């Protein structure tokens, strides 16, 4: 089997979306422009969702206009929660990927996208159709993919069933999201390996949340299971504001970089741009 290249997805959108004070548009542009120079495969830069739901992302269109893409090889990903947002995103030439959060928890699907799971599935169908028609690629995030804090039914079989239905629609990328940081390394390994083995034509990624304790075991579990697409955020900032009041931070990109360099991967990153991005993150997220 051909080995997939390792992909790092940097997620400033995820870092910013739950930030309590509004980050000025110019600051977002300056930060993301610097991230674009680091050499990440993809930048999850913004979202086309209701500004009432996520006020921090109300300026995504303005941010996009300010991005300098001609000197970067990174691809842009935007999150959408419904067909209306997807219609906006697919019309924008610089956006390569649309990301849709599909929760296997009924409670969280309602909280996050104001829809039932069944309605979420119909949105996946519609958004996938829009992506194909407009030359974009859809990434479906399996939210609460490792369990949920609401007492909603969860099992690995439930996850596998929904993923199979989504992939049957032609969706090319599935990213398993540990939305509230409850996943164990054993779970991550089992679920990821099953999907990587069962769906060789589908790119399987992970969007993990982790603290300083235990992050390495989680990354190792996904890596050893064959995953080669990893989401992170510099300094581990962020998390889903729709999930819990007490957020578990995003997977720290610095941890991922050091881990994969230890594994012998040549990531081709501009370390000066990375250090400058870290400095800027320290100024923005205070």
């Amino acid at each position: 089997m051909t080995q997939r290249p390792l992909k790092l997805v940097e997620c400033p959108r995820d870092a910013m979306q739950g930030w309590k004070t509004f980050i000025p548009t110019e600051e977002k542009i300056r930060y993301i422009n610097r991230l674009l120079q680091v050499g990440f495969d993809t930048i999850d830069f913004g979202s086309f969702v209701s500004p009432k739901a996520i006020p921090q992302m109300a300026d995504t269109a303005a941010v996009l206009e300010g991005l300098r893409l001609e000197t970067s090889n990174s691809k842009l990903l935007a999150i959408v929660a419904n067909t209306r947002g997807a219609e906006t995103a697919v019309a924008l030439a610089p956006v390569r990927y649309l990301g849709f959060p599909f929760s296997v928890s009924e409670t969280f699907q309602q909280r996050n996208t104001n829809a039932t799971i069944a309605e979420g599935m119909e949105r996946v169908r519609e958004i996938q159709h829009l992506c194909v028609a407009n030359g974009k690629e859809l990434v479906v995030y399996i939210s609460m993919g490792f369990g949920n804090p609401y007492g909603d039914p969860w099992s690995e079989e439930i996850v596998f069933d929904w993923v199979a239905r989504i992939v049957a629609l032609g969706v090319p990328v599935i990213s398993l999201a540990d939305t509230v940081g409850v996943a164990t390394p054993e779970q991550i390994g089992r679920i990821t390996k099953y999907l990587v083995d069962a769906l060789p034509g589908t790119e399987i990624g992970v969007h993990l949340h982790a603290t300083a304790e235990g992050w390495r075991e989680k990354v190792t579990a996904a890596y050893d299971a064959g995953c080669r697409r990893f989401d992170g955020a510099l300094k581990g900032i962020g998390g889903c504001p729709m999930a819990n009041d007490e957020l578990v931070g995003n997977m720290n990109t610095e941890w991922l970089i050091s881990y994969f360099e230890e594994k012998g991967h040549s990531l081709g990153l501009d370390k000066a741009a990375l250090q400058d991005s870290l400095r800027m993150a320290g100024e923005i997220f205070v």
Side-chain angles (χ1 to χ4, degrees):
M1 191 173 78
T2 305
Q3 180 75 313
R4 290 183 183 272
L6 187 72
K7 295 182 180 179
L8 287 183
V9 180
E10 176 61 21
C11 302
R13 184 269 319 165
D14 207 357
M16 293 175 178
Q17 67 177 7
W19 205 248
K20 300 300 184 189
T21 54
F22 186 78
I23 300 167
T25 303
E26 287 304 316
E27 284 289 286
K28 290 173 179 154
I29 291 171
R30 195 166 66 91
Y31 182 51
I32 297 170
N33 271 329
R34 202 65 185 117
L35 292 174
L36 282 164
Q37 300 306 310
V38 175
F40 296 111
D41 180 84
T42 300
I43 305 288
D44 175 353
F45 82 101
S47 59
F48 295 97
V49 298
S50 166
K52 290 181 181 177
I54 310 286
Q56 190 71 254
M57 294 290 105
D59 59 351
T60 290
V63 168
L64 181 60
E65 288 182 9
L67 297 184
R68 298 192 302 273
L69 302 167
E70 60 279 353
T71 58
S72 175
N73 291 321
S74 298
K75 298 173 279 289
L76 293 183
L77 182 149
I79 297 294
V80 300
N82 53 36
T83 307
R84 182 178 175 183
E87 287 170 345
T88 300
V90 297
L92 299 167
V95 176
R96 165 75 174 273
Y97 296 108
L98 274 64
F100 179 80
F102 179 89
S103 180
V104 296
S105 153
E106 195 74 66
T107 302
F108 188 62
Q109 190 70 10
Q110 284 285 358
R111 289 180 65 160
N112 201 34
T113 65
N114 195 31
T116 64
I117 290 179
E119 288 167 338
M121 190 66 187
E122 188 54 36
R123 291 180 188 183
V124 171
R125 185 188 309 277
E126 293 167 356
I127 295 168
Q128 170 64 6
H129 179 75
L130 283 168
C131 284
V132 170
N134 290 274
K136 311 295 186 183
E137 292 183 63
L138 178 58
V139 180
V140 173
Y141 292 89
I142 307 299
S143 302
M144 300 291 173
F146 299 94
N148 64 79
Y150 312 119
D152 289 342
W154 181 91
S155 69
E156 293 177 14
E157 288 68 31
I158 288 172
V159 173
F160 299 153
D161 179 55
W162 283 115
V163 169
R165 296 192 208 185
I166 291 165
V167 170
L169 299 175
V171 173
V173 186
I174 298 290
S175 187
L176 297 163
D178 182 18
T179 315
V180 286
V182 299
T184 66
E186 294 74 23
Q187 271 184 316
I188 293 169
R190 276 197 313 273
I191 294 173
T192 305
K193 179 168 174 44
Y194 177 88
L195 293 176
V196 167
D197 291 347
L199 302 168
T202 305
E203 185 174 356
I204 304 296
V206 291
H207 183 102
L208 303 174
H209 290 209
T211 60
E213 293 81 40
W215 72 267
R216 180 178 288 271
E217 290 79 4
K218 290 184 177 185
V219 174
T220 298
Y223 183 86
D224 287 351
C227 177
R228 293 297 180 267
R229 179 189 178 94
F230 290 81
D231 288 16
L234 291 186
K235 294 183 176 290
I237 297 162
C240 182
M242 299 298 188
N244 268 341
D245 292 328
E246 295 301 319
L247 297 175
V248 178
N250 278 304
M251 180 64 70
N252 190 326
T253 305
E254 297 156 273
W255 299 341
L256 291 173
I257 291 170
S258 64
Y259 181 90
F260 295 128
E261 287 180 342
E262 287 172 21
K263 288 283 189 182
H265 288 276
S266 178
L267 301 176
L269 302 181
D270 182 329
K271 292 300 180 71
L274 176 62
Q275 289 306 312
D276 205 30
S277 297
L278 285 164
R279 178 189 60 76
M280 292 173 69
E283 295 171 355
I284 293 169
F285 299 104
V286 291

